[in-house]
């Protein structure tokens, strides 16, 4: 059977710790890739798993005081739970302690021994246990491991070797003939230089200390963990036991990993092993960059590792957004913030910024305002746009083409950027067409066309972001009333014309991404600047008595209607309900809030302020808003609080 499946892999992770934002990254990206290919209608196979036969895994178990087998079972289960909690939809999870894998490793060892690619010899050298790698004297840096900087041990062993040196020229020729084989381009040179320096044969066995896969016929030794681990990519898909399946999946289309295990292991050792077995090489090996947190290396000892699931939970608790959506925000951030391949730095400030600007202000706003206006002007019924729809069709088609090409080239941040340009164009279109003016002038056909066109953009965005933000995509589809058909949509459906059935009634908007109150994170507010802030507030404000404060009549008010004040760009006129009376107030928030988005919300209002005329409009009261670097952020109250309730 010819190859018919798109096959993507992640490294298999050592089970000595639980994933943090750094090592979750590769798996999140692989999930995005797999979802993208499924969305294009391709049969896809996404493999991840755990690397369990390493000495460091046995050491971690010993440290935890648990039998190694029990330890790896527990951690492999924990990994699977973490991936489930991050919406990772892999097709298979391989563990290197599984029989299906061990049998293939043994068979490959025997075969390569028989054909002379593995031979027995004596070896002495510097060995780094955490990196599971031998180094020559000249490779050491200050006598320490060049990869991790830790102490190395002098190891003398009778071992089996893999004849890596025999493959140098073939590897170079393959790299030369397949420009897309090693990516990103800038890492390719590193590989070529490494191979050109001369490849030594690799010792692929170690003394058996009770953990690992014993060498067939020589149980005093175990198979080197990297030789064993790399084989997972073929043992999981049927190599040597299900030829038909194997031929339909192998070679892998994309193997993802961090730059740490790119050059030596995945671009040299692995392809040489495949060549020795007479197998095709993967189409693309991609070595992505390294994530740091606040500019620092992520490390267990520093205790700065952030779990993506915890991050999503904290964000959900703070913002009121759903947990799944917050998780999507993490996935979005990691794919958008850096060019895939380069290093990235995670900081709460930049994460919150993206949440507020890209998700709440751009995407959330386009959905909310369109659905609010649909509710206000058409009773939430999809209008018959009588030929006026599709006004944004060109940009939808352009974006679908550009984003697809970018995803195909693994340029995820460019793909997302282009989708967000389309969303911005949708928001600008609504601003420019002024649906509120069309409504006032009774131009209902045109108004229908504007709203229908805006809905088309929201739908197109929801389809294209689905590989990155699956829960958000479903939530938007639900609010658009098209959730049922969404599961079967493909990328080509992005450009469907007239995708909504006129007359269908859909629900009102439910904000998906409530804005986060401040761009300064708790984590970043050091004790010092908290103290400074407190001092500044004390200096700024004169202390008042409670009596003085109680003179202010602060109440919860419900916004009944909102509109722009003609000729005043910054002002909105609101009618609010205070429980037993209605009032009109004018607020200088038009730059930051669409009038439709305020309707139905509960605000905090100072009711006993002297009435005033602002730009000729009566204002009887004032709403409260926080001043965030010059931007007004309205204080909204919980929906449950009744209008008129006193605030004190
Ligand atoms: O090396 N930034 O497993 P491992 C980006 N078992 N990616 C990161 C990262 C960070 N800060 N930290 C970890 C192994 N990663 C072997 C692999 S494959 C046959 C055997 C990711 O648990 C990145 O993909 O040390 C890196 O290559 C991988 O985790 C290392 O995982």
């Amino acid at each position: 059977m010819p190859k018919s499946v798109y096959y993507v892999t992640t490294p298999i992770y050592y089970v000595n710790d639980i994933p943090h934002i750094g090592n979750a990254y590769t798996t999140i990206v692989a999930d995005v890739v797999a979802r993208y290919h499924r969305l294009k209608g391709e049969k896809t196979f996404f493999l991840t798993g755990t690397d369990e036969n390493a000495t460091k895994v046995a050491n971690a178990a010993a440290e935890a005081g648990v039998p190694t087998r029990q330890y790896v079972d527990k951690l492999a289960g924990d990994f699977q739970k973490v991936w489930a909690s991050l919406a990772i939809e892999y097709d298979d999870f391989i563990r290197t302690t599984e029989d299906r894998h061990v049998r293939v490793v043994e068979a490959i060892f025997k075969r390569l021994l028989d054909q002379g690619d593995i031979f027995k010899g004596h070896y002495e050298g510097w060995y780094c246990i955490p990196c599971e790698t031998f180094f020559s004297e000249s490779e050491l840096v200050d006598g320490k491991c060049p990869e991790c900087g830790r102490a190395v041990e002098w190891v003398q062993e009778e071992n089996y070797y893999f004849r890596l040196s025999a493959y140098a020229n073939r590897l170079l020729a393959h790299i030369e003939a397949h420009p897309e084989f090693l990516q990103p381009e800038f890492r390719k040179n590193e590989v070529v230089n490494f191979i050109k320096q001369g490849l030594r044969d690799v010792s692929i066995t170690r003394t058996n200390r009770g953990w690992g896969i014993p060498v067939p016929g020589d149980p005093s030794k175990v198979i080197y963990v990297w030789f064993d681990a790399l084989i997972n990519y073929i043992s999981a898909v049927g190599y040597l036991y299900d030829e038909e399946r194997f031929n339909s999946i192998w070679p892998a289309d994309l193997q993802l990993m961090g730059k740490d295990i790119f050059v030596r292991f995945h671009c040299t050792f692995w392809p040489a092993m495949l060549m020795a077995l007479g197998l095709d090489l993967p189409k693309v090996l991609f070595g992505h960059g390294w994530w740091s947190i606040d500019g620092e290396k992520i490390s267990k000892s520093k205790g700065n590792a952030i779990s993506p699931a915890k991050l999503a939970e904290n964000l959900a608790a703070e913002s009121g957004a759903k947990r799944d959506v917050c998780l999507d925000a993490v996935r979005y951030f990691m794919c958008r913030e850096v060019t895939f391949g380069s290093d990235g730095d995670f900081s709460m400030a930049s994460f919150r910024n993206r949440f507020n600007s890209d998700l709440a202000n751009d995407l959330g706003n386009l959905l909310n305002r369109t659905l609010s206006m649909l509710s206000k002007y058409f009773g939430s019924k999809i209008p018959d746009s009588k030929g006026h729809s599709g006004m944004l069709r060109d940009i939808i088609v352009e974006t679908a083409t550009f984003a697809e090409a970018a995803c195909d080239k693994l340029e995820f941040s460019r793909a997302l950027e282009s989708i967000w340009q389309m969303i911005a164009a949708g928001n600008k279109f609504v601003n420019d067409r002024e649906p509120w003016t069309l409504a006032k002038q009774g131009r209902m056909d045109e108004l229908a066309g504007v709203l229908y066109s805006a809905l088309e953009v929201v739908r197109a965005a929801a389809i294209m972001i689905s590989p990155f933000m699956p829960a958000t995509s479903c939530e938007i589809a639900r609010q658009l009333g098209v959730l049922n058909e969404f599961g079967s949509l493909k990328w080509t459906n992005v450009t469907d014309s007239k995708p909504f059935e006129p007359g269908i009634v859909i629900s009102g908007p439910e904000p998906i991404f409530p804005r986060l109150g401040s761009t300064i994170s708790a984590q970043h507010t050091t004790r010092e600047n908290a103290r400074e802030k407190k001092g500044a507030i004390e200096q700024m404000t004169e202390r008042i008595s409670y009596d003085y404060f109680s003179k202010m009549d602060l109440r919860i008010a419900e916004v009944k209607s909102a509109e722009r004040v003609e000729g005043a760009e910054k002002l909105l006129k609101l009618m609010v309900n205070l429980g037993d009376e209605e009032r009109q107030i004018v607020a200088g928030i038009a730059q930051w809030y669409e009038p439709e988005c305020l309707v139905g919300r509960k605000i905090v209002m100072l009711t006993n302020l002297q009435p005033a005329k602002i730009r000729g409009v009566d204002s009887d009261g004032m709403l409260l808003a926080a001043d965030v670097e010059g931007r007004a952020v309205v204080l909204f109250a919980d929906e449950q609080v009744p209008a008129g309730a006193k605030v004190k």
Side-chain angles (χ1 to χ4, degrees):
M1 196 202 250
K3 178 172 157 68
S4 56
V5 176
Y6 183 91
Y7 181 26
V8 57
T9 68
T10 71
I12 48 172
Y13 303 100
Y14 290 126
V15 283
N16 55 351
D17 207 356
I18 259 325
H20 52 64
I21 209 149
N23 45 21
Y25 178 56
T26 324
T27 315
I28 289 174
V29 172
D31 186 62
V32 168
V33 170
R35 287 175 187 267
Y36 168 71
H37 283 274
R38 285 184 209 122
L39 183 62
K40 296 227 297 181
E42 293 166 45
K43 254 199 207 160
T44 301
F45 193 79
F46 165 18
L47 176 72
T48 189
T50 40
D51 189 353
E52 305 184 3
N53 296 318
T55 315
K56 66 166 139 189
V57 171
N59 290 350
E63 236 173 71
V66 181
T68 314
R69 166 61 68 174
Q70 194 180 320
Y71 178 84
V72 295
D73 285 349
K74 156 96 176 55
L75 277 193
D78 288 351
F79 261 82
Q80 291 174 9
K81 278 188 216 141
V82 170
W83 298 145
S85 81
L86 298 183
I88 303 294
E89 280 186 355
Y90 50 74
D91 295 288
D92 196 359
F93 186 98
I94 185 148
R95 300 180 51 191
T96 54
T97 50
E98 282 175 87
D99 251 14
R100 62 170 171 157
H101 173 74
V102 173
R103 279 201 301 267
V104 175
V105 173
E106 288 168 345
I108 289 178
F109 192 96
K110 278 193 225 153
R111 186 170 150 189
L112 295 184
L113 188 64
D114 289 348
Q115 72 186 43
D117 274 301
I118 292 178
F119 62 95
K120 207 169 182 178
H122 176 81
Y123 193 81
E124 316 193 326
W126 292 109
Y127 194 66
C128 173
I129 295 185
C131 295
E132 302 278 7
T133 313
F134 271 109
F135 295 100
S136 65
E137 185 79 39
S138 64
E139 281 178 305
L140 301 183
V141 176
D142 298 332
K144 302 258 169 65
C145 169
E147 302 275 333
C148 71
R150 278 177 274 209
V152 287
E153 278 177 38
W154 184 256
V155 175
Q156 289 181 307
E157 279 181 358
E158 177 87 326
N159 270 317
Y160 291 84
Y161 286 82
F162 174 67
R163 210 178 285 285
L164 183 63
S165 56
Y167 291 93
N169 289 339
R170 279 181 64 188
L171 281 173
L172 289 172
H174 185 88
I175 295 169
E176 171 92 31
H178 299 85
E180 71 302 331
F181 177 47
L182 304 183
Q183 293 186 37
E185 184 66 28
F186 64 84
R187 290 197 205 289
K188 191 188 287 184
N189 274 348
E190 219 185 311
V191 178
V192 170
N193 291 341
F194 179 75
I195 299 173
K196 282 188 174 162
Q197 267 172 22
L199 295 180
R200 282 177 295 140
D201 296 337
V202 196
S203 154
I204 55 159
T205 54
R206 302 286 183 267
T207 300
N208 188 347
R209 295 195 172 89
W211 188 249
I213 303 178
V215 170
D218 190 351
S220 68
K221 306 212 170 303
V222 288
I223 295 174
Y224 173 44
V225 67
W226 268 102
F227 184 85
D228 143 19
L230 288 161
I231 290 172
N232 90 86
Y233 301 130
I234 50 179
S235 68
V237 293
Y239 183 58
L240 297 181
Y241 62 90
D242 187 342
E243 200 178 338
E244 197 179 322
R245 177 156 178 261
F246 181 67
N247 290 339
S248 72
I249 299 180
W250 190 259
D253 294 86
L254 177 64
Q255 301 210 259
L256 296 170
M257 72 229 58
K259 62 184 181 182
D260 56 330
I261 55 176
F262 186 64
V263 178
R264 181 186 296 264
F265 297 113
H266 281 86
C267 300
T268 309
F269 193 22
W270 175 226
M273 284 167 67
L274 290 168
M275 283 174 172
L277 292 169
L279 293 176
D280 286 339
L281 303 195
K283 293 185 186 159
V284 176
L285 289 166
F286 195 105
H288 63 68
W290 215 240
W291 279 92
S292 54
I293 294 182
D294 294 329
E296 293 204 39
K297 196 170 173 232
I298 305 176
S299 96
K300 217 177 176 181
S301 54
K302 280 203 189 98
N304 65 346
I306 295 180
S307 123
K310 190 89 203 124
L311 184 63
E313 272 147 32
N314 290 347
L315 188 66
E318 181 187 343
S319 67
K322 291 185 182 148
R323 181 198 174 278
D324 287 359
V325 162
C326 292
L327 190 63
D328 280 357
V330 179
R331 292 169 60 110
Y332 171 76
F333 178 84
M334 300 200 92
C335 294
R336 175 75 198 262
E337 191 73 2
V338 297
T339 303
F340 189 52
S342 307
D343 292 342
D345 185 51
F346 181 91
S347 77
M348 282 306 286
S350 42
F351 176 59
R352 294 168 72 92
N353 245 348
R354 286 248 175 240
F355 186 91
N356 274 347
S357 66
D358 300 8
L359 303 181
N361 277 9
D362 297 344
L363 177 59
N365 187 29
L366 183 61
L367 174 73
N368 287 348
R369 66 196 308 204
T370 313
L371 291 187
S372 309
M373 290 188 276
L374 195 70
S375 146
K376 183 168 172 188
Y377 303 127
F378 294 99
S380 290
K381 204 186 267 184
I382 300 283
D384 184 351
S385 54
K386 299 213 175 81
H388 282 289
S389 70
M391 297 178 200
L392 292 159
R393 203 174 155 68
D394 285 354
I395 189 153
I396 292 176
V397 173
E398 230 170 72
T399 307
T401 310
F402 185 93
E404 183 176 6
C407 285
D408 287 341
K409 286 187 275 177
L410 309 174
E411 293 174 352
F412 306 112
S413 73
R414 290 189 75 196
L416 288 169
E417 197 184 330
S418 72
I419 298 169
W420 256 257
Q421 276 164 3
M422 179 188 76
I423 292 167
N427 272 320
K428 180 168 183 312
F429 169 77
V430 172
N431 289 349
D432 292 349
R433 296 298 169 111
E434 299 190 4
W436 43 93
T437 310
L438 296 176
K440 229 184 244 165
Q441 296 169 346
R443 293 153 66 186
M444 298 313 274
D445 278 356
E446 270 174 75
L447 175 61
V450 168
L451 295 189
Y452 197 103
S453 302
L455 285 174
E456 286 180 319
V457 171
V458 178
R459 174 185 175 276
I463 301 173
M464 287 190 278
I465 63 169
S466 67
F468 301 90
M469 310 177 75
T472 305
S473 169
C474 284
E475 180 57 28
I476 296 175
R478 188 185 67 73
Q479 295 199 25
L480 294 180
V482 291
L483 185 59
N484 283 346
E485 69 193 59
F486 237 57
S488 57
L489 290 190
K490 297 285 167 254
W491 185 275
T492 47
N493 292 106
V494 171
T495 52
D496 285 345
S497 63
K498 302 262 178 172
F500 301 100
E501 190 80 15
I504 302 266
V505 177
I506 62 181
S507 60
E510 290 165 46
I512 302 181
F513 300 105
R515 285 184 60 88
L516 296 170
S518 156
T519 50
I520 301 156
S521 86
Q523 198 183 324
H524 280 252
T525 312
T526 60
R527 232 177 276 148
E528 285 74 29
N529 72 34
R531 233 182 275 134
E532 273 168 26
K533 240 183 173 173
K534 193 167 165 238
I537 289 168
E538 277 167 7
Q539 264 181 20
M540 255 163 30
T541 46
E542 182 194 334
R543 297 303 184 99
I544 58 166
S545 66
Y546 183 77
D547 273 357
Y548 189 97
F549 168 73
S550 62
K551 290 197 179 109
M552 291 181 216
D553 189 35
L554 293 166
R555 290 190 187 267
I556 300 298
E558 182 179 355
V559 181
K560 302 306 287 180
S561 67
E563 59 186 272
R564 287 164 199 280
V565 174
E566 247 166 82
E569 264 178 25
K570 295 186 179 161
L571 300 182
L572 290 186
K573 183 169 81 177
L574 313 180
M575 283 304 293
V576 300
N577 178 5
L578 283 164
D580 50 6
E581 61 169 320
E582 291 224 333
R583 295 265 194 103
Q584 173 174 299
I585 60 172
V586 173
I589 55 171
Q591 280 163 283
W592 303 287
Y593 292 88
E594 288 302 324
E596 310 76 42
C597 298
L598 295 170
V599 178
R601 310 283 313 258
K602 301 267 174 63
I603 57 171
V604 184
M605 180 174 143
L606 180 63
T607 65
N608 58 343
L609 190 70
Q610 287 199 337
K613 249 192 190 351
I614 305 177
R615 291 287 195 103
V617 183
D618 289 325
S619 181
D620 189 1
M622 182 178 88
L623 63 68
L624 297 196
D627 177 351
V628 183
E629 289 157 10
R631 179 169 53 81
V633 177
V634 175
L635 303 183
F636 291 113
D638 195 292
E639 279 170 28
Q640 317 290 327
V641 186
K646 190 161 170 55
V647 177
K648 48 185 193 170

